[in-house]
Structures are given as C-alpha cells and as structure tokens.
Amino acid sequence: MGSRYSAWSLLRHGLTGGDWSRAFRHHPVKNSYDVVIIGGGVHGLAAAYYLAKNHGITNVAVLEKSYIGSGGSGRNTAILRSNYLTPEGIRFYDRSVKLYEHLAADLNFNVMFSQRGHLTLAHNDSSLRTMAWRAEVNKLQGVDSSVIGPDEISKLVPYLDTSAHTRYPILGALYHPPGGIIRHDAVVWGYARAADALGVHIHQNTELVGIDVEANRVVGVRTAGGDRISTPIVLNCTAGWSTLISDLAGVSMPVQTFPLQAAVTEPVKPFLDTVVVSGTLHTYVSQTDRGELVFGASVDPFASYSTRGSLEFVEGLAGHVLELMPALSKMRLLRQWAGLCDMTPDYSPIMGPTPVEGFHVDVGWGTYGFKAGPVSGEAMADCIAGGRPPEIISAFGLDRFEAGRLVGEKGAAAVGH
Ligand SMILES: Cc1cc2nc3c(=O)[nH]c(=O)nc-3n(C[C@H](O)[C@H](O)[C@H](O)COP(=O)(O)OP(=O)(O)OC[C@H]3O[C@@H](n4cnc5c(N)ncnc54)[C@H](O)[C@@H]3O)c2cc1C
C-alpha cells in the first residue's frame, strides 16, 4: 500500500471519512430507463456492468431495496468451482471461473480470488461412483477434476481423519484444483464501482413494489418511495425474493425459498489451504486469509424467508466437523448467520425471457449462485442486447419445466455449493 496508507492514516480515514471518494455515486431516480434491474447482488450488478461494457447500454438502473450485497451476495461462503455434473452446467460454471480469474484486472479491484483446490469427500460406494461420473464428464468438458484416494487426500489436508476406523470413513474424493474461494464483498463493490463509472445508476434503499404490464408487455415499474419509472425491459435478479417479483409481472416460477446457514470461527494460523466438502455429512469448510474457518451446510429443511440462525444448525455442524477433523474440538465459533436460497426442482438456474415481453429472469440460484455471477451477468446482458438467450444459457429457460427438459444438478449442487 505504500506510505500513503500507513496504519495511522488508515485509522484517520476510518474515523473521519478522510478523502476516500465514494465507490459509486448517488443519483436521483429518473423517470425512464432502457433497462431496470431489480436486485443489487452480484447478479444484478454484473448484468448492469456487462450491459454497459459489452453493449454500450448505459441508461440502466439497478434498484436495491436495502444496500448492495445485503442478500445472498454478502452472506455466502464464497466457494467457486466448475466441477458440476451435466455438460450444460460444467460449461456454464467454467466460463464463470474463467471470468473470475481475470476479474481483478477487469474491474481494477482486488477480489482476492484464491484458487486453492476443492475436495468433495466420498464416504460410501455410491458417492464414490458419482464422483467418478463427475470426473469423467468434467474431463470431457476440459475441466480439471479427478478422483483421488485417502493417501493423497491426507497429503492435501493432514488434519482430516482419513483412518479406516471412523464412523464415516473417507473412501476417496473428487479433487478439483481450479476451485477456491474469493472475497464476496469485493466482487459486489468492484462490479458496482465499474458499472457506475460506465454510467449505470445504482439506487439503494429503493424497493420495487409494482411492475406495469400492458398488452402482455412490460411498460414500467413502481417503487415504495412513489417513483414511477417507464422502461421496456425489467430483469429480475432477486434470488430468495424472486417469486415475489415475478408474481408482480404475473409470471409464476417453480422456485421455493429456503434459509441456508453458515458460521465462522475465531482466527487461527493457516493450516487449511483447500476447500473441503462432505455431502454425506452435510458440511464444508475453508480457511479465510484472516485465518477464520468458514463452515456451511445444506439448506434448512423448511421453506421460509427467515434469516435467523438456529441452535440445531450449530449442534449438527459441530458434530459433523469433529467427525472430519477431531483436532478442531477446541475451536470457538464467533458467529453464525443465514441467507435465502431460491431452489428450483432440478438445482439449475432459470435464465432468460418469460411469457411477458420485456420481463427477464436470472434466478433459481439456490445455494450455488455466487460463483455464477460473472457468467450470468455476461449472458443476461447478451440476452437483453441481442433479443434472445445466448447458447451458454439456452438449456436454462423457464420453458424447460413444461417441456420436461430438466438439467439435473442435484448430485453436484446439493451441499457442495
Ligand atoms: C449461507 C450461504 C452460503 C452460500 N455459499 C455459496 C458458495 O459458497 N458459493 C456460491 O456460489 N454460492 C453460495 N451461496 C449462494 C449465493 O449466495 C447466491 O446464490 C447468490 O449470492 C445470489 O446472488 P443474487 O445477486 O442473485 O442475489 P442476492 O445477492 O440475494 O441479491 C438479491 C437482492 O435483491 C434485493 N431485493 C429483493 N426484493 C427486492 C425488491 N422488491 N426491490 C428491490 N430489491 C429487492 C435484495 O435486497 C438483495 O440484495 C450461498 C448462500 C448462502 C445464504
């Protein structure tokens, strides 16, 4: 950082506001935009950025009911990977990992992407079979993935109990070297700053309450603050709230919202430089640059809009983590939290146009949508600018549920976000 940002000057800046300029500007809401994006998470902001950058469409508003990143984008456990199960899914997520690899340079913002490798453990024969299946499909799509045995696993993660006498012995793992973790807030801020610089208006504390549709075509939106904005295009990027927004346009979607919880420990010295996931034990862990261990699980077993943590979650989590790494028994949890996940029946997203002209969706991100932010933004920008979905998202249309063309990703996306 150089001498300009010594510890004292950082403290002074923090206390006084200093001369740091705002990352993005405040604008009054205009009464007309070419595109209105609902939701200031990674998906909405990335779509705004790529509309402006790749297509020169800058008369764009992002409406966010709270602050940017207040939804899943600021609450996730920041795991990125592309070792999915279907060819459609693998190609899609791989494009996102590639965009993430260059994102810091593209946005001129340090997003702290650490490609430290990702392990999905198998504790029984059937999960070992699924890992082998995933590894083969991955290789066919050019994605680095292979099944490794307990000896290699213990070299990568010495703290894992790979002995044969545990309750859930580790028989092998799917190893995916390009996977890793990133700083989620930085991704959100980086996209917001870059979109703003290209002319996009980001409106925080601006809740959408109505979508006006005439003759089956979007004509405008209304906000809780009384703004009426005319626009021919609305893009729904509201994840856990997405059915509520689609209902406003009269579009019903096969999405249910479930809470997903996570927790973080006190910081300790670095000892874990791989992401470890166990689908069978419903848990996963990684270590941040600050030394904290970040844990997650599968979604709560009931649909809800609540973001409260539960004791049941931490109890189950602690038991399962100690099965995997008994040496962590003295670690203290610092805090836990929850976010909302918009689950689809096939664990794949819903992207593209809807039966209402001008109303587009980029939803159904479940527990795994942060990693898809860049590719989704790029693809939705192409879809809006080009008038039809680009090939990379053609399998994820809303009409697949009626046509029975599901893209089944449950085997790769249930716990392993
Ligand atoms: C605990 C947890 C762990 C996760 N871990 C991972 C992971 O490791 N890897 C991964 O890839 N994914 C993970 N996810 C999933 C990921 O966080 C989401 O899929 C992703 O962030 C969705 O991004 P988004 O931009 O679509 O939605 P969000 O970030 O949820 O943004 C939607 C925004 O819409 C706003 N909004 C809602 N209603 C309105 C309205 N009426 N008007 C205006 N604005 C509105 C909300 O305030 C919100 O900010 C996890 C999720 C959780 C909760």
Side-chain angles (χ1 to χ4, degrees):
M1 278 209 249
S3 58
R4 188 166 166 241
Y5 291 117
S6 66
W8 282 115
S9 78
L10 279 174
L11 186 63
R12 187 165 41 81
H13 278 288
L15 293 175
T16 63
D19 58 1
W20 279 332
S21 54
R22 283 179 60 101
F24 55 93
R25 291 161 290 177
H26 173 73
H27 299 275
V29 177
K30 292 202 300 184
N31 54 19
S32 164
Y33 288 98
D34 294 337
V35 180
V36 173
I37 297 172
I38 318 301
V42 66
H43 284 259
L45 293 164
Y49 171 67
Y50 292 113
L51 273 170
K53 180 185 170 223
N54 294 353
H55 303 283
I57 300 174
T58 58
N59 187 23
V60 175
V62 177
L63 308 187
E64 166 52 54
K65 73 173 176 174
S66 179
Y67 57 90
I68 62 165
S70 56
S73 296
R75 294 163 186 265
N76 66 84
T77 43
I79 296 172
L80 308 186
R81 63 184 178 92
S82 59
N83 58 350
Y84 276 70
L85 181 60
T86 66
E88 298 88 339
I90 297 164
R91 282 196 292 270
F92 176 76
Y93 291 105
D94 191 44
R95 171 72 187 153
S96 219
V97 169
K98 300 253 157 52
L99 287 168
Y100 267 126
E101 283 170 351
H102 300 283
L103 198 62
D106 187 17
L107 302 179
N108 188 23
F109 204 83
N110 187 359
V111 290
M112 300 184 215
F113 185 16
S114 161
Q115 289 183 285
R116 55 183 56 196
H118 182 284
L119 275 178
T120 317
L121 305 176
H123 301 273
N124 52 48
D125 289 342
S126 80
S127 34
L128 206 51
R129 214 167 28 243
T130 309
M131 300 308 159
W133 173 13
R134 277 170 68 183
E136 292 310 313
V137 188
N138 278 215
K139 280 180 206 154
L140 279 174
Q141 298 300 322
V143 166
D144 189 358
S145 250
S146 56
V147 174
I148 60 174
D151 290 347
E152 269 181 275
I153 297 171
S154 74
K155 274 189 210 132
L156 285 167
V157 190
Y159 278 78
L160 265 181
D161 186 352
T162 50
S163 66
H165 312 296
T166 57
R167 195 157 155 221
Y168 301 97
I170 296 170
L171 305 183
L174 182 66
Y175 180 43
H176 176 51
I181 53 172
I182 198 161
R183 175 77 202 175
H184 52 10
D185 301 311
V187 174
V188 170
W189 298 329
Y191 271 125
R193 194 177 81 137
D196 169 83
L198 293 170
V200 168
H201 285 191
I202 297 167
H203 300 296
Q204 299 188 103
N205 298 314
T206 307
E207 181 176 1
L208 177 100
V209 293
I211 299 179
D212 297 323
V213 177
E214 284 172 13
N216 201 42
R217 171 186 277 271
V218 165
V219 293
V221 298
R222 281 165 280 130
T223 72
D227 307 293
R228 297 185 83 95
I229 305 170
S230 71
T231 183
I233 309 271
V234 171
L235 172 59
N236 177 3
C237 292
T238 53
W241 299 266
S242 56
T243 53
L244 306 175
I245 302 302
S246 287
D247 284 351
L248 295 175
V251 173
S252 122
M253 288 187 311
V255 170
Q256 271 193 304
T257 292
F258 290 82
L260 174 63
Q261 301 189 47
V264 71
T265 66
E266 60 189 341
V268 290
K269 284 192 177 169
F271 72 95
L272 179 64
D273 59 359
T274 313
V275 180
V276 179
V277 180
S278 167
T280 306
L281 293 183
H282 290 213
T283 192
Y284 60 92
V285 55
S286 69
Q287 188 170 23
T288 68
D289 295 334
R290 278 193 301 231
E292 304 143 328
L293 296 182
V294 176
F295 298 114
S298 48
V299 290
D300 286 352
F302 45 83
S304 166
Y305 289 98
S306 162
T307 52
R308 291 180 69 129
S310 69
L311 184 58
E312 196 188 359
F313 161 74
V314 260
E315 277 181 345
L317 178 80
H320 289 153
V321 166
L322 294 184
E323 300 266 4
L324 294 174
M325 297 192 198
L328 301 190
S329 64
K330 297 282 186 292
M331 294 277 295
R332 279 173 297 201
L333 279 187
L334 274 191
R335 60 183 181 277
Q336 67 184 105
W337 66 93
L340 300 182
C341 294
D342 41 336
M343 307 300 295
T344 61
D346 60 358
Y347 287 63
S348 284
I350 306 176
M351 302 180 73
T354 66
V356 171
E357 211 170 312
F359 183 66
H360 296 257
V361 292
D362 170 12
V363 303
W365 289 113
T367 63
Y368 35 81
F370 193 76
K371 68 178 68 62
V375 68
S376 304
E378 182 185 62
M380 290 312 301
D382 288 353
C383 182
I384 288 167
R388 63 194 166 93
E391 205 279 322
I392 197 158
I393 59 165
S394 57
F396 302 135
L398 177 59
D399 57 353
R400 76 176 184 275
F401 297 100
E402 238 174 293
R405 291 188 311 265
L406 302 190
V407 189
E409 282 291 1
K410 190 170 183 185
V415 177
H417 311 323

